[in-house]
Amino acid sequence: MQIRPDSSGYFGKYGGKFVPETLMTALDELESAYEEAVADPEFQRQFNLLCTDYIGRPTPLYYAGQLTARAGGATILLKREDLAHTGAHKINNALGQGLLAKRMGKTRVIAETGAGQHGVAASTVCAMLGLECIIYMGTEDIRRQASNVNRMELTGAEIRPVSSGSKTLKDAINEAIRDWVSNVRNTHYLLGSVVGPHPYPMIVRDFQSIIGQETKQQVQGIYGRLPDYLVACVGGGSNAIGLFHPFYDDKQVKFIGVEAGGKGIKSGKHSATLVTGKSGVLHGTKSYLMEDEHGQIEETHSIAPGLDYPGVGPEHSFYKDTGRATYVSVDDKQALEGFRLLCDTEGIIPALESAHAIYYAAELAKGISEDKLIIVNLSGRGDKDLEIVAEALGMKK
Amino acid sequence: MSIIADVFKPNYKAMIAYITAGYPDQKATVKVARKLAEGGCDIIELGIPFSDPLADGATIQKASYYALKQGVTPDACLEMAAKIRKSIATPLVFMTYYNPVLNYGLKKFCKKCVGAGVNGLIVPDLPPEEGLELETITRKAGLDLIYLLAPTSTESRINVVASSSRGFIYLVSLTGVTGARDTLSLELAGFVERVREKTSLPLCVGFGISTVEQAGQAAALTDGVIIGSRLIQLIEKDATLKSLKSFIKSVRTELDIKKNTGRY
């Protein structure tokens, strides 16, 4: 495995620490604390134990026979992160950072959330570890993901609605960063994706890499070989990096990241950052982003709140430029098709975010032979999305 | 010596004013800048509005959002600066987040700044670790790149900023974002002392200074004070700018009373 990012937090030309001075010391402290924790067998033992007993890992690698048959081509396997405690991969990182926060002596945890999955994961872990938890969430997302708001409140988090800008994930991150600037001494910012200033993209990736590590073992155990394709949806990109990263040096394994095409790339109302964006600085990191001609960050759109973000992790930007991964987009309508397809063929209700990857994988499978293996990261379950789906399908009538 | 560094003299406390460029409109910005200069401001900071101002509190967020809605762009800010420069000699500094400058092109932006009569840049999300390229370009162009320090800055970070900041060092008075507060941060005195031990650069303090009394207290410890959100509020409340003028005058008087305190 290659050592990346470099000591300044860069993946090639992406990454870094573009934050107010107030936070620079906290980032240095976080990096040292993380390095110490990783080297401490007791921290590792505790993390692994809770991965098993609290999250329910390893999650299965499921042969989606009916989906494979329907697509009529390559074999499709699903990495079932939807079966993890709280219903999405977000818990892996929330657990890791929660333990880290506790180890650093922080008493207060803040987090942002879009779809609410990270908020629920953070709130849950904080309840278990006895930490105060505050969640910033855009008012538009609070409306769209009400069931997750209830879950956060039940597990003891305080929800702070954010009504600035597009009232979604980007604005929730702005507000969380402002809180962190103000309360940095006793507060850990539990960032939920592989974005933000160094060391976050590295820490979140490492905690999420358990997805790819398990997948590798499972696919080799069952099929005796590596897969041909890994497919995952990309908003900030944590579930995708978690799956991809452990396969980085296995060059025969192709990575495909699926971004949100929203109402269509041409409409401008989408969140396909890597497909359409260019390099810039947002939320403390240099990466691809969606901006207007004057460098102002653009408002984004996706039916999946977890993908509705104008930035993306720096490691993905690096994968794109070096050609290690390919990034494509799937629009709202296609994602809904993917959603129904999985409900229909497998009796699994996917999160709308993951439905983007399902749709793309089914299309991809059609064109290739059945001896090829496609693994899709089913990053979350879709209970949270029933209202959005009903609304969207109702509108179509 | 730059014209920004020239502002700092023995027995003198500098008054630095921040306004969001294009708030409430572009004409008003030019007019406000003139009033600020007449009222005895030594440096004027023009904020280039950005969609995601994460170091700013509610007042400047709102002003930035409003200015952006009016279509204010970096080019429009350069034009405002050029207009201001025509009528006043006060040093002008752009306060801008990094992305709009990066998008503009660092070299091109700095060249345009010089052309418009701007003398320096403050980029709150660009610590020295990430600022090497802009530092080189601004140095060549003759612009001062002013870095910030915060109460959370360690001794080693103070050394890094002290060796790379030009014109002065911007001390963030408190652990937080911009915006008015009831009282001055209790940790300010100790913080200023820590920085003073490491550098002879002028130190100016901002964030959370919104009253004449707070300005006086902060000035007694440093070489100058930076006031922003309060000015925006005064502009918002009283379009005749009379309130702004009288506030600035009171601050100037208070700073002159404090002129013999502190280092100079």
Side-chain angles (χ1 to χ4, degrees), chain A residues 10 16-22 24-25 170 174 178 181-182 184-185 278 280-281 291-297, chain B residues 49-54 56 61 68 73 98-99 103 124-125 127 129-130 148 150 152-154 157 175-176 187:
Chain A
Y10 275 84
K17 294 180 186 175
F18 296 84
V19 295
E21 174 63 27
T22 308
M24 288 299 283
T25 300
K170 173 192 78 136
N174 287 342
R178 290 186 189 113
V181 169
S182 308
V184 61
R185 290 194 172 99
K278 59 179 219 154
V281 168
E291 61 180 355
D292 70 10
E293 57 187 305
H294 306 296
Q296 305 295 344
I297 307 306
Chain B
F50 180 52
S51 53
D52 296 84
L54 46 80
D56 285 304
Q61 279 179 51
L68 286 174
T73 61
Y98 194 43
N99 197 56
N103 173 279
D125 60 347
E129 285 84 345
E130 304 291 352
L148 298 91
T152 53
S153 303
T154 55
R157 296 203 53 76
T175 308
E187 54 188 352

Side-chain angles (χ1 to χ4, degrees), chain A residues 76-274:
Chain A
I76 303 174
L77 307 173
L78 304 177
K79 179 60 176 166
R80 297 290 307 272
E81 290 300 297
D82 61 317
L83 293 176
H85 178 45
T86 68
H89 73 289
K90 292 291 188 190
I91 191 80
N92 305 324
N93 167 55
L95 175 64
Q97 282 195 50
L99 291 171
L100 193 57
K102 189 113 186 167
R103 191 185 161 95
M104 291 174 75
K106 305 285 182 182
T107 53
R108 183 175 177 271
V109 166
I110 55 170
E112 82 296 338
T113 198
Q117 288 302 130
H118 174 57
V120 169
S123 170
T124 303
V125 165
C126 285
M128 190 254 295
L129 295 175
L131 295 164
E132 181 190 355
C133 182
I134 287 147
I135 306 287
Y136 288 91
M137 188 170 187
T139 50
E140 171 62 13
D141 289 336
I142 289 177
R143 184 190 70 78
R144 292 195 282 182
Q145 308 272 247
S147 66
N148 272 343
V149 173
N150 294 338
R151 295 167 76 200
M152 284 181 260
E153 282 170 347
L154 275 173
T155 45
E158 177 193 337
I159 316 279
R160 296 200 179 155
V162 179
S163 56
S164 54
S166 55
K167 305 172 175 57
T168 57
L169 181 55
K170 173 192 78 136
D171 312 285
I173 296 180
N174 287 342
E175 225 32 69
I177 292 176
R178 290 186 189 113
D179 180 316
W180 202 33
V181 169
S182 308
N183 301 292
V184 61
R185 290 194 172 99
N186 70 348
T187 299
H188 175 68
Y189 180 18
L190 207 173
L191 190 47
S193 192
V194 287
V195 299
H198 178 66
Y200 281 105
M202 172 181 78
I203 292 179
V204 179
R205 173 202 70 197
D206 289 353
F207 287 134
Q208 292 295 2
S209 288
I210 195 164
I211 303 171
Q213 287 154 9
E214 284 175 10
T215 302
K216 203 170 190 175
Q217 237 180 7
Q218 289 165 323
V219 73
Q220 277 174 328
I222 307 164
Y223 294 88
R225 69 182 190 88
L226 292 173
D228 298 287
Y229 295 92
L230 299 176
V231 181
C233 64
V234 176
S238 71
N239 90 78
I241 280 291
L243 178 64
F244 295 170
H245 186 75
F247 291 89
Y248 185 85
D249 290 329
D250 305 309
K251 301 291 180 195
Q252 71 273 36
V253 182
K254 295 186 179 72
F255 301 167
I256 299 174
V258 185
E259 295 193 307
K263 294 180 175 166
I265 298 295
K266 280 183 190 153
S267 74
K269 293 186 163 72
H270 59 81
S271 315
T273 309
L274 287 159

Side-chain angles (χ1 to χ4, degrees), chain B residues 5-60:
Chain B
D6 285 345
V7 163
F8 303 95
K9 304 178 280 271
N11 304 319
Y12 187 74
K13 302 293 183 183
M15 173 161 66
I16 303 175
Y18 166 93
I19 50 172
T20 301
Y23 178 81
D25 60 60
Q26 302 189 32
K27 264 192 184 160
T29 296
V30 177
K31 204 169 131 193
V32 168
R34 276 189 211 128
K35 296 274 181 215
L36 292 171
E38 284 164 18
C41 282
D42 298 290
I43 297 171
I44 296 171
E45 263 183 50
L46 281 179
I48 298 179
F50 180 52
S51 53
D52 296 84
L54 46 80
D56 285 304
T59 304
I60 294 174

Side-chain angles (χ1 to χ4, degrees), chain A residues 63-74 76 346:
Chain A
Y63 165 59
Q66 296 306 311
L67 178 63
T68 298
R70 182 78 68 89
I76 303 174
E346 300 291 347

